[in-house]
Amino acid sequence: MTELEILQAYWWLLIAVLGAVLVFLLFVQGGQTLLWAGRTEVERQLMINSLGRKWELSFTTLVVFGGAFFASFPLFYSTSFGGAYWLWMLILISFVVQAVSYEYRRKKGNIYGTGVYDGLLLFNGIVGCILLGVAVAMMFFGAEFTVARGNILDAGNPVISRWAPTHGLEAIASWKNLLLGVAVFFLARTQGALYFVNNISGDASFTARMRRVAGANGLVFALLFVAFVVVLMLSPGMRMQPDGTFASEPNAYLHSLLHMWWGAVILLAGVVMVLYGIFRTALDSRWRAGIWFCGIGTVLVVVILFLLAGYDSMAYYPSLLDAGSSLSISNSSSSLFTLKVMSRVSVLIPFVIAYIAYVWRKMNKQPLTPAELNREHHQY
Amino acid sequence: MNDLMSVVDWSRAQFALTAMYHWLFVPLTIGLSVIVAIMETAYYRTGNERWKALTKFWMTLFGINFAIGVATGIILEFEFGTNWSNYSWFVGDIFGAPLAIEGIVAFFMEATFVAVMFFGWNKVSRGFHLASTWLTSIGVTLSALWILVANAWMQNPVGMEFDPAQMRNVMSDFWEVAFNPVSMNKFFHTVFSTWTLAGVFVVGVSSWLLWRRSNVGAATTSLKIGAWFGIAGMLLTFMTGDGSAVQVARVQPMKLAAMEGLYDGKVGQELVGFGILNTDKKPGDDAPAMHFEVSIPKGLSVLANHDPNSFVPGINDLLQGIELTPAGDTVRTVSYAERIATGRCAQQALRDYNAARAAGDESAMADAAARVAKDFKYFGYGYFETPEQAVPPVTVTFYAFRVMVCLGGILLLVLMLGAFASSFRPRLLANKFVLWAGMISLPLVWICSQAGWIVAEVGRQPWTIQDLLPVTAGISDVPSGSVQLTFWIFAAVFTLLLVAEVSIMARFIARSSRGDIEKDNN
């Protein structure tokens, strides 16, 4: 492997990790869809304040995911965001309204009332999760675009990356994409419930209810995820050939998984951790650590899914209109110089993770209780 | 793409809308974070609960504003992809890096420690809480650094070279991209302006409390801090603004000419202090540039070159190729008509390069690549039909510059009055004129701040990247109707959220005025 290829693989791994952490942190969005499972105002207050201390992490991870993708694979940024316009705009709008809803929902003078802000959190929980899942699914099932760099010399029509006229709506209408989207949605709800079990105490009936919610949503997720994996393994993928062209290959992802046997092992370990986290929480009324097992398992599974999309000469953004336009980590990355610079910056990532973990631990030493909530000056 | 200009205009409108809304909130976040940290430092050092109460009072307002700043910020980042996809490819190799660094270094820092700021009072030690407040402030300031580095680079593209094989620009010197004089000056000018804005905000709110004769002690202390902090910010903003003018004269002389409505420059050029622009004036015609003006003799020569007898070129001079060298000497360089021809040569050379590459003719490729490199400096001009297309909108730039400078001067006087009254003549704080001056300055500081960005961004039109990529070539392949729809969606959403934000803040301040800030916030 050349130095450039190593750095491309390294940055794809970082993108995979960021994407995986984002999927884990979607427990915030999932939790937002569970607010209506709170039976009393106190329960809802506990849920919203518990989530409210973490919403910025998922939001920030999405922003950094975008920034890192821009820096390392700018052709993806240019092609996907400019092409699947409506898909990304809907995702962004759902996050815009989320950002203010926590802070404003119970503030006096908020004009629209608590119900509207809670509705916006629900909107973010549903649309954000499903459409992010759809966006990731396109990395396997492809999208309708073409890339022609020479277009930039045509002053009358200069755009390099062009998309189908539906601009992302066709991706939302694809059942394969939606399958992953809905699976992500139920995973987020499951993790939201697991997070509540871990982070809120002092109300036994609430915790018991959340355990049941985690079990039920976890079951739906597991079924949808299995269906997605089966569809993925049976689907064709676009693989780069030795001459640099792309060709569609039946069962390509199955082949890649067999080539990357270590990935299959990690994927399996991740799935086991996810299932263990969910179902032990549902069944063992004293166990609260499910979010950590499920969360770490989720990260492992999603990292491997990203690696399946981008490694082993696969096109991580297959074009359904023109195979040659497909994006791979080798033809869409930044230059060697920029990847080197960014790799030096990435040395900071462990420090960032370390202080986030330290602060999280310090702030979450004790689960949130109604008594503690009453002492808080700043409430959502 | 039949509706090219419509897509360009709506994409610009959407970006301007998002940026301007974002900039309503962000300067208050950056500046107020420092004021809150200063107050909490006083609490940490003295242990006086009064400081804690003041910290919490202003921190609540900070929190209300912080959320909506975050909300509008996410759109900006992604709009580079959604609406400026060609741009994202053409310079993504350089431009993406500061955005990623901003996320890794700054966003996580502010997101992590802002939670401690709000929720950590009962969970962490006083020292840890204070550190978190400062780290939040550093985080928001660092995020400004990297996005301003990115913005400055668009106006002064350095540290890169064009690679014809990839049909894009690639980074060649990170430090030159990050820490060139233009980016550093832009960063400090912008951040100091946020200090001013936050200082005026604190003065304005405190003035209202004093006008209501409510919480006199808390309001006087806050007003004193806000006024002195605002003065420091304003003086530093003026200093860095002077540096900006010198750099604009060197790097974007057309912007400077537009800021002044200057068509025909001269030695010892005056600065228009106040004037009414002839909006019918076109480059090259004989019409007067101004209907009326009050000017400062030799002022523009001093501003641009720090030399009262220097030459400052106007729009007509620049179109003909008369410019200043970095040393301040007047030279005849390349006229805009020649730039267009050179840009077209560069673009043709690039087509030849692609054709040679397809044919596998390495000798022709090398020849074409050499021609691209020779003419690439004016690559972007190749998209124009006439030199006049490279002239920014003069009217908006001219008036925005005057609004910014005039309001800056007025605000400095108000801040000085507030600082003097709160520090030396407290009885003046019962004077309604003084308090009204503080309250009226509240909207003025936002107008001033927005005007600054209008000068910077309208004045650099038609370029997304100076001299290399005009807005017409930077867009995405999205129908105009779609962009119009998202424009109106954002306009509605941002406006509704702004109304809610202002309402919540006003209600909180009003409620606080009926109680005791020093007791209610402890």
Side-chain angles (χ1 to χ4, degrees):
Chain A
M1 281 175 95
T2 64
E3 187 179 11
L4 178 61
E5 287 169 338
I6 291 169
L7 287 172
Q8 286 165 337
Y10 172 66
W11 270 93
W12 187 253
L13 176 64
L14 287 185
I15 294 293
V17 171
L18 272 171
V21 171
L22 176 61
V23 174
F24 162 52
L25 292 172
L26 287 179
F27 74 76
V28 174
Q29 273 63 30
Q32 288 166 195
T33 68
L34 295 175
L35 293 181
W36 282 261
R39 287 189 183 156
T40 65
E41 191 51 35
V42 174
E43 284 186 1
R44 279 190 288 276
Q45 275 301 103
L46 284 168
M47 292 162 90
I48 204 96
N49 278 281
S50 174
L51 291 173
R53 291 158 199 209
K54 299 290 177 286
W55 76 264
E56 283 196 40
L57 276 182
S58 66
F59 191 97
T60 304
T61 306
L62 173 62
V63 174
V64 176
F65 179 73
F69 232 137
F70 195 0
S72 51
F73 299 98
L75 192 54
F76 170 81
Y77 203 81
S78 159
T79 302
S80 178
F81 287 86
Y85 189 76
W86 282 108
L87 172 71
W88 289 109
M89 281 297 177
L90 286 169
I91 291 172
L92 292 176
I93 289 167
S94 86
F95 277 87
V96 167
V97 295
Q98 181 218 22
V100 293
S101 293
Y102 281 99
E103 189 66 38
Y104 291 3
R105 65 184 289 279
R106 283 218 314 160
K107 290 272 190 307
K108 296 220 171 358
N110 71 14
I111 296 184
Y112 315 115
T114 305
V116 168
Y117 293 99
D118 288 353
L120 294 175
L121 290 177
L122 178 66
F123 172 71
N124 172 242
I126 297 171
V127 171
C129 292
I130 293 177
L131 295 191
L132 278 173
V134 167
V136 172
M138 289 160 77
M139 293 184 163
F140 300 104
F141 304 128
E144 298 180 22
F145 67 89
T146 59
V147 176
R149 293 175 178 83
N151 288 351
I152 203 162
L153 295 169
D154 178 359
N157 195 358
V159 183
I160 291 168
S161 303
R162 298 180 187 171
W163 203 275
T166 39
H167 284 284
L169 295 175
E170 79 291 339
I172 302 173
S174 154
W175 70 268
K176 285 185 178 179
N177 293 341
L178 274 177
L179 181 60
L180 184 61
V182 177
V184 169
F185 171 67
F186 277 97
L187 173 66
R189 279 171 65 85
T190 307
Q191 295 193 127
L194 295 176
Y195 173 71
F196 289 140
V197 169
N198 179 269
N199 195 244
I200 296 173
S201 77
D203 184 343
S205 80
F206 171 77
T207 307
R209 201 173 336 124
M210 285 302 115
R211 289 181 191 280
R212 288 196 297 277
V213 168
N217 282 278
L219 189 61
V220 177
F221 160 70
L223 293 173
L224 289 169
F225 184 72
V226 168
F228 167 75
V229 171
V230 170
V231 171
L232 181 63
M233 293 300 129
L234 296 176
S235 291
M238 202 74 80
R239 197 184 296 277
M240 187 182 270
Q241 307 302 304
D243 63 359
T245 60
F246 288 96
S248 181
E249 176 186 314
N251 306 111
Y253 296 104
L254 178 61
H255 297 157
S256 283
L257 198 59
L258 295 173
H259 295 164
M260 298 191 296
W261 58 268
W262 47 270
V265 172
I266 294 172
L267 184 74
L268 197 61
V271 168
V272 169
M273 286 182 78
V274 169
L275 296 178
Y276 178 75
I278 295 170
F279 294 110
R280 186 170 167 195
T281 303
L283 300 172
D284 181 348
S285 63
R286 284 174 305 171
W287 197 62
R288 309 170 70 102
I291 183 66
W292 293 114
F293 279 84
C294 186
I296 293 168
T298 297
V299 170
L300 294 178
V301 169
V302 179
V303 164
I304 297 302
L305 286 178
F306 267 85
L307 298 190
L308 269 182
Y311 279 8
D312 202 28
S313 303
M314 295 300 291
Y316 71 82
Y317 220 49
S319 169
L320 301 176
L321 298 181
D322 167 34
S325 293
S326 299
L327 306 187
S328 68
I329 62 172
S330 61
N331 72 7
S332 65
S333 81
S334 282
S335 65
L336 175 62
F337 184 90
T338 296
L339 289 178
K340 272 188 188 172
V341 168
M342 292 304 302
S343 299
R344 289 186 191 124
V345 174
S346 73
V347 171
L348 294 172
I349 291 175
F351 293 101
V352 174
I353 293 170
Y355 74 65
I356 291 173
Y358 178 73
V359 169
W360 184 316
R361 201 176 145 77
K362 222 169 166 63
M363 296 290 287
N364 280 32
K365 247 187 281 179
Q366 297 296 326
L368 190 61
T369 63
E372 193 214 320
L373 194 58
N374 283 336
R375 285 200 301 274
E376 278 295 342
H377 175 262
H378 195 104
Q379 280 192 27
Y380 291 130
Chain B
M1 192 178 275
N2 296 325
D3 56 354
L4 176 69
M5 283 319 293
S6 178
V7 174
V8 172
D9 290 343
W10 281 103
S11 298
R12 286 183 58 205
Q14 180 164 299
F15 203 88
L17 173 89
T18 319
M20 290 179 80
Y21 264 99
H22 188 51
W23 196 249
L24 286 177
F25 314 113
V26 167
L28 186 59
T29 295
I30 298 173
L32 200 54
S33 73
V34 183
I35 292 179
V36 166
I38 290 171
M39 289 178 171
E40 190 176 343
T41 304
Y43 167 60
Y44 180 80
R45 290 173 68 92
T46 63
N48 187 337
E49 294 293 319
R50 182 168 176 263
W51 282 114
K52 185 179 180 185
L54 279 181
T55 305
K56 282 188 169 179
F57 173 77
W58 293 106
M59 198 180 275
T60 301
L61 291 169
F62 170 86
I64 296 164
N65 180 71
F66 181 80
I68 192 166
V70 171
T72 45
I74 191 171
I75 299 286
L76 268 186
E77 179 193 349
F78 285 96
E79 268 182 14
F80 288 113
T82 55
N83 294 87
W84 302 98
S85 92
N86 255 21
Y87 169 88
S88 296
W89 167 248
F90 197 60
V91 294
D93 193 63
I94 306 115
F95 191 82
L99 289 196
I101 296 171
E102 180 186 29
I104 294 167
V105 174
F107 285 162
F108 276 121
M109 187 185 282
E110 58 182 87
T112 304
F113 291 102
V114 82
V116 183
M117 251 176 90
F118 290 138
F119 303 109
W121 289 107
N122 302 323
K123 291 193 176 68
V124 299
S125 68
R126 280 193 344 176
F128 190 86
H129 194 277
L130 177 66
S132 299
T133 304
W134 276 111
L135 284 169
T136 303
S137 182
I138 292 167
V140 296
T141 306
L142 280 179
S143 65
L145 168 69
W146 289 107
I147 193 64
L148 291 169
V149 161
N151 178 279
W153 181 83
M154 296 162 83
Q155 320 225 15
N156 178 36
V158 290
M160 57 122 192
E161 57 196 33
F162 184 74
D163 180 359
Q166 302 181 60
M167 298 278 287
R168 65 168 171 173
N169 295 282
V170 293
M171 199 192 300
S172 58
D173 186 336
F174 173 75
W175 298 111
E176 199 180 356
V177 170
F179 299 116
N180 67 78
V182 174
S183 67
M184 285 300 93
N185 205 85
K186 185 173 271 291
F187 167 67
F188 286 113
H189 187 58
T190 309
V191 167
F192 292 141
S193 80
T194 71
W195 290 15
T196 304
L197 185 138
V200 172
F201 174 76
V202 172
V203 167
V205 172
S206 303
S207 298
W208 185 80
L209 290 170
L210 290 168
W211 182 70
R212 294 280 309 261
R213 300 189 200 291
S214 154
N215 288 279
V216 173
T220 304
T221 306
S222 297
L223 195 147
K224 189 196 282 188
I225 292 172
W228 284 112
F229 184 72
I231 289 171
M234 186 62 93
L235 293 177
L236 291 165
T237 305
F238 279 142
M239 277 173 58
T240 48
D242 174 64
S244 281
V246 173
Q247 282 163 358
V248 167
R250 301 282 182 276
V251 177
Q252 296 170 300
M254 189 60 91
K255 181 195 277 187
L256 183 71
M259 283 159 65
E260 277 302 305
L262 178 66
Y263 284 84
D264 297 297
K266 64 181 186 201
V267 169
Q269 179 65 50
E270 63 266 26
L271 177 75
V272 180
F274 174 75
I276 297 173
L277 204 63
N278 176 7
T279 52
D280 294 329
K281 168 82 178 165
K282 296 278 182 291
D285 69 15
D286 293 329
M290 309 290 295
H291 290 306
F292 165 78
E293 65 181 293
V294 178
S295 299
I296 303 165
K298 301 191 177 189
L300 190 59
S301 289
V302 173
L303 190 74
N305 307 313
H306 290 173
D307 175 359
N309 296 313
S310 64
F311 173 78
V312 181
I315 290 168
N316 290 333
D317 304 313
L318 291 164
L319 290 176
Q320 290 165 29
I322 299 170
E323 280 194 33
L324 287 175
T325 65
D329 299 324
T330 312
V331 291
R332 179 173 286 279
T333 60
V334 186
S335 75
Y336 276 44
E338 291 169 284
R339 292 180 188 204
I340 290 173
T342 308
R344 288 179 180 168
C345 284
Q347 295 187 0
Q348 185 54 47
L350 195 52
R351 284 188 199 96
D352 295 345
Y353 178 91
N354 287 338
R357 193 178 181 196
D361 184 344
E362 292 195 4
S363 154
M365 281 169 68
D367 174 60
R371 284 160 46 214
V372 173
K374 178 172 77 70
D375 293 335
F376 188 73
K377 186 178 178 190
Y378 298 123
F379 184 87
Y381 289 88
Y383 290 99
F384 297 143
E385 297 293 329
T386 64
E388 289 72 24
Q389 286 177 280
V391 178
V394 175
T395 308
V396 176
T397 315
F398 173 84
Y399 284 115
F401 181 58
R402 261 131 212 95
V403 167
M404 175 185 76
V405 174
C406 291
L407 287 181
I410 293 168
L411 290 165
L412 179 61
L413 292 176
V414 173
L415 288 166
M416 288 168 68
L417 179 63
F420 176 75
S422 57
S423 303
F424 307 112
R425 294 278 189 282
R427 63 189 166 79
L428 276 177
L429 294 178
N431 182 310
K432 286 197 173 167
F433 167 76
V434 173
L435 299 178
W436 271 106
M439 288 187 277
I440 289 171
S441 64
L442 258 182
L444 298 185
V445 76
W446 262 278
I447 295 169
C448 179
S449 191
Q450 293 278 331
W453 274 110
I454 290 170
V455 173
E457 297 303 303
V458 175
R460 66 137 148 170
Q461 293 302 318
W463 301 109
T464 55
I465 308 156
Q466 185 70 35
D467 295 345
L468 300 182
L469 191 73
V471 285
T472 49
I475 51 168
S476 297
D477 176 33
V478 182
S480 171
S482 293
V483 186
Q484 287 182 49
L485 187 52
T486 50
F487 172 89
W488 289 113
I489 291 172
F490 288 138
V493 169
F494 292 158
T495 305
L496 290 170
L497 296 182
L498 172 67
V499 170
E501 190 229 18
V502 173
S503 167
I504 293 169
M505 276 197 176
R507 184 71 77 90
F508 173 72
I509 296 165
R511 194 157 49 93
S512 300
S513 77
R514 292 192 291 272
D516 184 340
I517 289 173
E518 293 178 19
K519 280 188 183 149
D520 298 342
N521 287 284
N522 261 320

